[in-house]
Amino acid sequence: MQPTEQDTSPMARAAAASADGAGGADPASSPLTAQRSPDAPAAADTGALEPSGGRAWPVPALLVPACLLFAAHLLRPGALGPAVACLVWALACFARRAWMRYVCVVSLCLMGCQWFVTAGRLIEIRTMMGLPWVRLACILAGTALVTLAAAAVCWSRFGRRWFCRGRETAVMQAAAFAVALCLLLPAFFRHPPMLLADRIYPGFGAVQILFGGLWAAMVCGLLADRTRAAKTRLRVWLLFSVVFFAQFFLSAMGVSLTSMTGSLHLPVPGVILGGAIYRLTPGFMLFLFLFAVLLTGPAWCSHLCYFGSWDAFAASRRNPARLAHPLRWRALSLALMAACALALRFSGAPASVAVAGGLALGLAMVPVSLFLSRRRGLALYCTAVCPLGLVSCLAGRLSPWRMRATSACTGCGRCLAACRYGALSKETLARGRTGLSCTLCRECELACPRGGMAVSFAGRGLPKDGETLGTAGRVFVCLVSGMHAAFLFMAMV
């Protein structure tokens, strides 16, 4: 049924555009024609699954040997971990995810350049020693050309046919993979080792980093899906918290392998700020927290905090009630925490008293989450108790990420009923934005069937008609997915 001319809602326009695209006069653009003719340009652009048949064979035929040769090259100096990572990536490419095509092209080009650099160094050494070098140059140049040919084939139509799954989110997932690698790679070169795999077997941090990137890409694809984003956020966030506390308890039991610094730190978010006030010096965790807030805004409280996941999971069991004055209690908690930290510092009280205070702040989460958050459907520990949550919301104002109402908003109130952080009311919705306690959890965006709420970047990047995610939303999902993966695969105390 076609929408009438008077029906101008965004959903109607999107349905009309879909109907026009499916029923147009051009037979080459129909899904049926795309399946029959995988060579058609329309099929390559729409992201339809194309049968590989025998037409995509050049991709694995060149990609696998290129990875094997480079893995052998890495084994010569004893870099077993990076060599294994190279082989794991070659196997992962048989999943045929569209985002892997971009990573393959970049990585194969870097491998080809490395072959030329290695050839130059070996030729220089042989020349200085008076040894023949022509055959060596031919072998390494041929290897480099095969690797670059593999990159070209991945970028060609053969690559589009091979990497054919999930094209609609390919660029987003590749970007999330890159974000995770950029955040994890510095840890690979640190000494003493920061990555758990490096401490178990030196060099295997490269494999851990690769799996972190693969995880980031998968999470990004799920968070970009409106039908699965809400459950995905809670599940992967809870997984990170479980891994974090598992490593903490192992460290507390004397397993030094799981401790990054060799000494235990109290895993309570409020202590990140309270400890800095008590010591009168900022610590690593405070810098990490501020970096996360500047990069993704107040999403720390809804995606990255190892305490907030339990509070959000408890609150998700019931529809949220209305939360009045969500900032008042956190402001009181922040002032009380700062006053206690300064009093303990200047009164000369033993450090054990300060630790007991931080532990009490953390243990307060258990009754609040189990009895209050679960009963009212609100993340009450995050919005009423945790002092770091208020700092996250205030510091998040330095970040340009915001939730805003779009032109599709009709004021139906579904977003108000979905907010678990007390950030939406009729007054804030009338102004077209959320309140200060917004954590960018995107629950309001996912609850609206018309796309009436969306993530914006400095007021821009909102979805256009027919889009499920705007430019700002896509970039935000990439960043938060990459940061989540980095936190998960480096979850150490």
Side-chain angles (χ1 to χ4, degrees):
M1 179 179 178
Q2 296 288 342
T4 62
E5 294 182 0
Q6 288 77 17
D7 190 357
T8 59
S9 67
M11 293 185 66
R13 290 198 297 269
S18 175
D20 292 342
D26 186 5
S29 62
S30 68
L32 184 60
T33 307
Q35 292 181 3
R36 289 198 302 261
S37 304
D39 288 331
D45 294 334
T46 56
L49 281 177
E50 301 176 13
S52 60
R55 301 189 179 186
W57 66 266
V59 175
L62 288 175
L63 175 62
V64 173
C67 290
L68 286 173
L69 289 170
F70 198 75
H73 172 65
L74 292 171
L75 281 175
R76 289 184 72 252
L80 179 59
V84 172
C86 191
L87 296 178
V88 170
W89 174 252
L91 291 175
C93 288
F94 282 88
R96 302 180 62 182
R97 307 303 302 180
W99 67 267
M100 293 178 172
R101 174 169 164 256
Y102 299 101
V103 179
C104 277
V105 171
V106 174
S107 59
L108 288 169
C109 287
L110 293 176
M111 290 180 191
C113 293
Q114 181 60 39
W115 281 117
F116 282 119
V117 171
T118 302
R121 290 176 180 172
L122 292 178
I123 290 172
E124 183 179 0
I125 292 173
R126 284 182 167 264
T127 302
M128 293 175 60
M129 298 176 64
L131 298 174
W133 53 268
V134 175
R135 187 176 67 174
L136 171 69
C138 292
I139 293 173
L140 293 181
T143 305
L145 291 176
V146 168
T147 305
L148 294 176
V153 167
C154 288
W155 189 250
S156 70
R157 60 181 182 177
F158 297 107
R160 289 194 293 271
R161 291 185 188 130
W162 179 261
F163 300 105
C164 58
R165 296 172 179 167
R167 288 178 178 167
E168 62 279 358
T169 57
V171 176
M172 292 176 58
Q173 291 179 279
F177 180 90
V179 170
L181 257 64
C182 290
L183 295 175
L184 288 170
L185 272 175
F188 180 67
F189 299 101
R190 288 289 301 273
H191 186 79
M194 293 180 65
L195 298 174
L196 182 61
D198 269 332
R199 295 207 288 273
I200 296 174
Y201 198 100
F204 270 71
V207 181
Q208 182 175 343
I209 291 173
L210 175 60
F211 278 108
L214 293 172
W215 179 262
M218 186 191 74
V219 170
C220 179
L222 293 173
L223 289 180
D225 186 349
R226 291 179 61 91
T227 61
R228 294 188 286 181
K231 290 184 178 179
T232 296
R233 180 181 69 91
L234 289 178
R235 288 171 180 173
V236 301
W237 189 18
L238 189 62
L239 173 65
F240 158 66
S241 184
V242 169
V243 171
F244 177 88
F245 281 108
Q247 294 195 184
F248 170 76
F249 288 126
L250 287 174
S251 299
M253 293 171 60
V255 183
S256 59
L257 189 68
T258 59
S259 178
M260 181 172 61
T261 60
S263 59
L264 283 177
H265 299 271
L266 198 60
V268 178
V271 176
I272 294 177
L273 184 62
I277 296 174
Y278 176 76
R279 297 188 305 268
L280 297 181
T281 56
F284 168 76
M285 283 301 298
L286 182 59
F287 282 117
L288 179 64
F289 164 74
L290 293 176
F291 170 76
V293 170
L294 290 176
L295 194 61
T296 59
W300 165 278
C301 293
S302 59
H303 290 81
L304 303 172
C305 176
Y306 39 85
F307 258 43
S309 60
W310 301 97
D311 201 34
F313 186 77
S316 66
R317 303 295 92 185
R318 186 182 293 268
N319 292 330
R322 179 172 174 77
L323 177 62
H325 308 294
L327 298 177
R328 178 181 299 172
W329 294 105
R330 277 194 294 187
L332 178 62
S333 176
L334 177 61
L336 183 62
M337 182 270 297
C340 289
L342 291 174
L344 291 171
R345 171 71 182 186
F346 293 109
S347 66
S352 58
V353 178
V355 172
L359 187 61
L361 179 62
L363 291 176
M365 187 196 73
V366 178
V368 171
S369 295
L370 287 180
F371 300 107
L372 298 180
S373 298
R374 187 180 182 88
R375 177 175 297 179
R376 302 204 61 189
L378 297 165
L380 288 177
Y381 181 85
C382 296
T383 55
V385 178
C386 181
L388 195 67
L390 179 58
V391 177
S392 174
C393 292
L394 293 173
R397 291 293 163 173
L398 300 176
S399 173
W401 300 110
R402 300 285 190 277
M403 290 297 306
R404 291 190 181 276
T406 70
S407 57
C409 178
T410 61
C412 66
R414 290 195 181 186
C415 55
L416 276 68
C419 182
R420 301 187 186 277
Y421 293 91
L424 276 173
S425 63
K426 293 182 179 180
E427 294 76 18
T428 57
L429 190 60
R431 295 196 297 267
R433 64 187 67 185
T434 56
L436 184 60
S437 61
C438 176
T439 64
L440 297 177
C441 67
R442 296 177 59 221
E443 291 287 346
C444 56
E445 176 185 358
L446 301 173
C448 183
R450 303 177 184 84
M453 294 292 291
V455 178
S456 70
F457 185 86
R460 300 183 179 183
L462 293 171
K464 299 177 182 178
D465 291 344
E467 287 186 340
T468 56
L469 271 178
T471 303
R474 290 192 289 268
V475 175
F476 175 78
V477 168
C478 293
L479 286 174
V480 79
S481 300
M483 289 202 67
H484 156 74
F487 277 39
L488 173 64
F489 282 80
M490 204 164 46
M492 303 180 199
V493 291

